Amino acid sequence: MTQLSTRRFLQTSGLVLAGFILAACGKKADAPAPAAEPASAAASVAAAPPPPPAKVYVVGTDAAYAPFESQNDKGEIVGFDIDVVSAIAQKGGFEVKFINTPWEGIFNTLTQGDRDLVVSAVTITEERKQTMDFSTPYFDAYQLIAVKTNSKVTKFSDLKKLKVGVQNGTTGDEVVTKLQGKSSANIKRFESTPLALKELEAGGVDAVVADNGVIVNYVANNSNNQFKTVTDKEFAPEQYGIAFKKGNTELVEKFSKGLADIKADGTYDSIYKKYFGEAPAAAAAAPASAASN
Amino acid sequence: MDLRWEILAGYGPLFVAGLWMTVKLTFVSITCGMVLGVLLGLVSSSRDAPPPRSVPLGWALKALRAVTTAYVTFFRGTPLFVQILLVHFALMPTLIHADHGLLYSGEGAREFRQNYGAFFSGALALTLNAGAYISEIFRAGIQSIHTGQTQAGYSLGFTHGQTMRYIVLPQAFRRMLPALVNEGVTLIKDSSLVSAIGLAELALAARTVAGAYSRYWEPYLLISVMYLVLTMLLSLLAKRLEAPAHRRGK
């Protein structure tokens, strides 16, 4: 009896395995591993031995948003945001601990007290300011439209009647919702921007609207997918800030001061250069020039 | 706790469309899953049946059983959430793609993906998952009928098919019913996982509101009630299928 069922078990698992191998063989020529490359060298800033720590701040971040935050093959959270906050912490003589937190509900973790701060490419908006506090801005961003190379989309209003992929609850979601209306069935909301871009690749949506840094990074890592990007003067310039629980003025000032310090001593510029290949001043001019095409 | 129900107002149509989508999705998946489950259940319970007289047919049935077992093992042993992502972002783009679909490509494929892609993938994943569970419910139901019943059928001169149809299945179905209703209820609830691939069903409507306002009580309470109504309606319908006590031999 036992022998028989063992045999059956072995047969079954053999078949399942064979199925997996077949599936793997059939699907060889597909996309290269996305993202992660620019982030792999990231830990260097955090690696220097910190002075004796006074307090460990818990930082929430949605690590599916390369190059701002992502997880490398060792499971470490790396990226531009991570390096900036680590540098601020090092400067200020305290410690930070990053915890991967899903974007949906990430701001709730601040009010609940689960996280002391959130750094996750968070755009500072008036609505968000009502429920939380922000540090001084640390990054200039703007919305980009990603479309297939053969697409006829040249401006934002072209998306009025098209199927658009966004990450749920992001500023990209907000602008598209404003364009198409709150109950539009043409907006397809995904948990992460890479998933939305994956859907664009598969032809499920006509366009994706999201923050420039992420789209540029994805397009660079998946050049064979023949995406192009379009921007529009209609998109208001945005700025990323570090988010804190409403009323936590002490911490806001601590991080804003730290940010000013690392900007003054050049640390910020070198982090920026590491991820975006150019100094912040040069990049700041980018939206204007990009808007012209 | 201050509840601001008015934030839901602007999203009314989204919730109505979402509810309708959830109903459609679960209806299609339950129906297709039932057909698939019955077929697979008959295959896997054929192990105890007398083997067919022709040798090649016997081998074919054996192969079919092996495939069925592998299928059931996979779909019962992996999370539905993973299956949904696998179907939508890996399987479907391989089969149906505007540029390089194995089954279907070209402009039509793009149109299909845009208009029905998420629904199709979601329904397919739910159907495959439900099929695996229902086949096991079916097999268990058939095997729960004492072999004496089957043997009695044979000795009356019934073929295996007739024995199943007239003697085993009618008794087995009564025992399967509660498990089948349970599976249906599970399916209605699990359809919320399909929101991960952007299908505008009930859960995604709530997630949209939560994403826009960072408020969680109002949207999720609302859809909880809506799911509850759906599952209770299903149980109520199923109650009518149950035999009255005097026919259950009490």
Side-chain angles (χ1 to χ4, degrees), chain B residues 124-142:
Chain B
L124 183 64
L126 287 175
T127 298
L128 291 174
N129 186 275
Y133 280 96
I134 292 174
S135 81
E136 286 294 276
I137 294 172
F138 227 78
R139 187 180 59 80
I142 290 170

Side-chain angles (χ1 to χ4, degrees), chain A residues 54-55 57 88-89 91-95 135 242 244 248-261:
Chain A
K55 162 133 177 70
Y57 292 109
I88 293 172
K91 196 90 185 164
F94 48 84
E95 271 197 68
S135 70
I242 308 168
F244 302 87
N248 199 346
T249 327
E250 185 205 332
L251 214 55
V252 176
E253 273 162 15
K254 201 168 188 172
F255 276 83
S256 293
K257 186 185 165 295
L259 192 60
D261 287 349

Side-chain angles (χ1 to χ4, degrees), chain B residues 102-142:
Chain B
L102 290 179
L103 281 184
Y104 186 34
S105 61
E107 191 53 27
R110 200 184 61 86
E111 291 269 305
F112 176 80
R113 173 95 185 176
Q114 290 209 345
N115 296 324
Y116 312 106
F119 181 80
F120 189 80
S121 305
L124 183 64
L126 287 175
T127 298
L128 291 174
N129 186 275
Y133 280 96
I134 292 174
S135 81
E136 286 294 276
I137 294 172
F138 227 78
R139 187 180 59 80
I142 290 170

Side-chain angles (χ1 to χ4, degrees), chain A residues 3-80:
Chain A
Q3 245 182 347
L4 190 78
S5 52
T6 314
R7 216 185 69 198
R8 193 165 289 160
F9 174 75
L10 286 177
Q11 280 174 347
T12 311
S13 24
L15 265 167
V16 171
L17 261 181
F20 271 125
I21 292 165
L22 273 177
C25 289
K27 211 180 161 296
K28 206 165 262 171
D30 245 5
E37 278 102 68
S40 57
S44 59
V45 178
K55 162 133 177 70
V56 180
Y57 292 109
V58 183
V59 188
T61 186
D62 177 23
Y65 214 64
F68 294 99
E69 45 268 323
S70 59
Q71 271 182 306
N72 65 14
D73 46 11
K74 291 185 204 70
E76 296 157 349
I77 300 177
V78 294
F80 176 78

Side-chain angles (χ1 to χ4, degrees), chain B:
Chain B
M1 188 173 87
D2 64 317
L3 291 176
R4 286 169 41 200
W5 293 104
E6 74 279 1
I7 62 165
L8 298 176
Y11 293 93
L14 211 60
F15 279 95
V16 174
L19 179 66
W20 177 228
M21 181 61 83
T22 294
V23 170
K24 269 198 298 192
L25 184 69
T26 45
F27 180 77
V28 169
S29 320
I30 289 176
T31 314
C32 299
M34 197 72 107
V35 173
L36 187 67
V38 169
L39 292 176
L40 294 178
L42 285 175
V43 169
S44 56
S45 66
S46 71
R47 197 166 273 132
D48 305 327
R53 278 194 205 100
S54 100
V55 176
L57 206 65
W59 278 104
L61 200 61
K62 221 171 182 163
L64 209 57
R65 272 206 299 266
V67 171
T68 307
T69 315
Y71 165 83
V72 171
T73 308
F74 181 80
F75 278 93
R76 276 206 325 175
T78 55
L80 177 57
F81 185 65
V82 176
Q83 291 161 15
I84 291 169
L85 294 179
L86 195 63
V87 166
H88 189 64
F89 288 110
L91 180 67
M92 296 308 290
T94 315
L95 299 179
I96 300 173
H97 192 286
D99 307 326
H100 48 74
L102 290 179
L103 281 184
Y104 186 34
S105 61
E107 191 53 27
R110 200 184 61 86
E111 291 269 305
F112 176 80
R113 173 95 185 176
Q114 290 209 345
N115 296 324
Y116 312 106
F119 181 80
F120 189 80
S121 305
L124 183 64
L126 287 175
T127 298
L128 291 174
N129 186 275
Y133 280 96
I134 292 174
S135 81
E136 286 294 276
I137 294 172
F138 227 78
R139 187 180 59 80
I142 290 170
Q143 286 178 348
S144 77
I145 303 301
H146 196 272
T147 39
Q149 299 281 321
T150 326
Q151 284 160 2
Y154 294 158
S155 60
L156 282 173
F158 280 5
T159 62
H160 177 68
Q162 284 171 327
T163 314
M164 286 301 266
R165 210 170 332 138
Y166 298 120
I167 301 178
V168 178
L169 285 181
Q171 300 182 67
F173 179 71
R174 239 173 48 194
R175 296 188 184 173
M176 289 175 214
L177 197 63
L180 287 176
V181 174
N182 202 14
E183 175 59 27
V185 168
T186 306
L187 204 61
I188 290 179
K189 295 186 293 183
D190 285 353
S191 71
S192 61
L193 293 174
V194 173
S195 62
I197 58 176
L199 181 70
E201 40 73 82
L202 206 45
L204 194 72
R207 288 171 65 167
T208 303
V209 177
Y213 285 90
S214 288
R215 294 188 66 88
Y216 301 89
W217 273 110
E218 300 88 347
Y220 289 118
L221 260 185
L222 177 69
I223 66 161
S224 299
V225 172
M226 289 164 111
Y227 278 115
L228 205 57
V229 169
L230 286 182
T231 53
M232 279 163 63
L233 273 178
L234 180 71
S235 325
L236 217 67
L237 277 175
K239 263 263 166 348
R240 302 184 68 111
L241 278 176
E242 275 181 25
H246 68 271
R247 292 193 53 195
R248 260 181 274 142
K250 277 183 183 162

